[in-house]
Amino acid sequence: MIYGIGTDICDVRRIRASLGRHGDRFASKILSDAEFATWKARSERWPERGLRYLATRFSAKEAFSKAIGLGMTHPMSWRRCEVATLPGGKPTLVLHGELKVWFEARHLSAHISVTDETDYAASFCTVEILDR
């Protein structure tokens, strides 16, 4: 059964402007430690690729927060929600701390899709209740 659906579109230019104003501090607020390391590595090799990586993570976390109905209120937070990539390339969500406990207590499962183009990153998230 569907618990919630969330979608988000993010203007990559807005993310670029935030990085320009706040630098790494902006990225460290949005990204988990693992995501931050990936972002830094991608940004060093190809700055635009790093920028779009950050934008897709921002968008995915927004979509997830909408799907669970919390927005960015406790226990949801940017760093407790991590977008990882499975070996075949499929994105997946890894939750941490209180958010993980909250999510598992409700027997939920999430599915995330992310995409980006030059100026936009978009995400779609479906959260379902698992059969018990």
Side-chain angles (χ1 to χ4, degrees):
M1 184 166 102
I2 300 295
Y3 181 86
I5 297 171
T7 189
D8 188 75
I9 186 165
C10 175
D11 190 328
V12 175
R13 295 165 295 192
R14 188 174 136 225
I15 299 298
R16 180 182 286 113
S18 292
L19 273 174
R21 282 191 308 276
H22 306 290
D24 286 7
R25 196 177 68 204
F26 174 73
S28 68
K29 176 183 174 186
I30 304 301
L31 303 173
S32 70
D33 291 340
E35 291 170 320
F36 189 85
T38 300
W39 170 73
K40 285 297 267 186
R42 288 185 182 190
S43 295
E44 288 171 11
R45 284 193 308 265
W46 186 26
E48 283 300 309
R49 187 173 177 214
L51 180 64
R52 287 196 301 274
Y53 176 86
L54 178 57
T56 57
R57 273 44 194 177
F58 184 97
S59 176
K61 294 173 187 199
E62 282 282 335
F64 174 71
S65 73
K66 293 170 185 175
I68 61 174
L70 293 178
M72 285 298 168
T73 61
H74 186 78
M76 178 62 195
S77 75
W78 295 108
R79 292 178 48 83
R80 286 188 192 127
C81 179
E82 179 178 329
V83 183
T85 306
L86 296 175
K90 179 182 176 183
T92 187
L93 293 174
V94 179
L95 305 179
H96 302 281
E98 294 174 78
L99 180 58
K100 180 179 181 177
V101 171
W102 180 92
F103 194 76
E104 289 176 352
R106 286 157 181 77
H107 307 281
L108 301 176
S109 176
H111 309 278
I112 190 81
S113 178
V114 299
T115 190
D116 65 271
E117 271 299 324
T118 304
D119 293 333
Y120 298 98
S123 299
F124 186 81
C125 182
T126 304
V127 174
E128 65 179 326
I129 301 172
L130 298 173
D131 293 330
R132 294 184 224 176

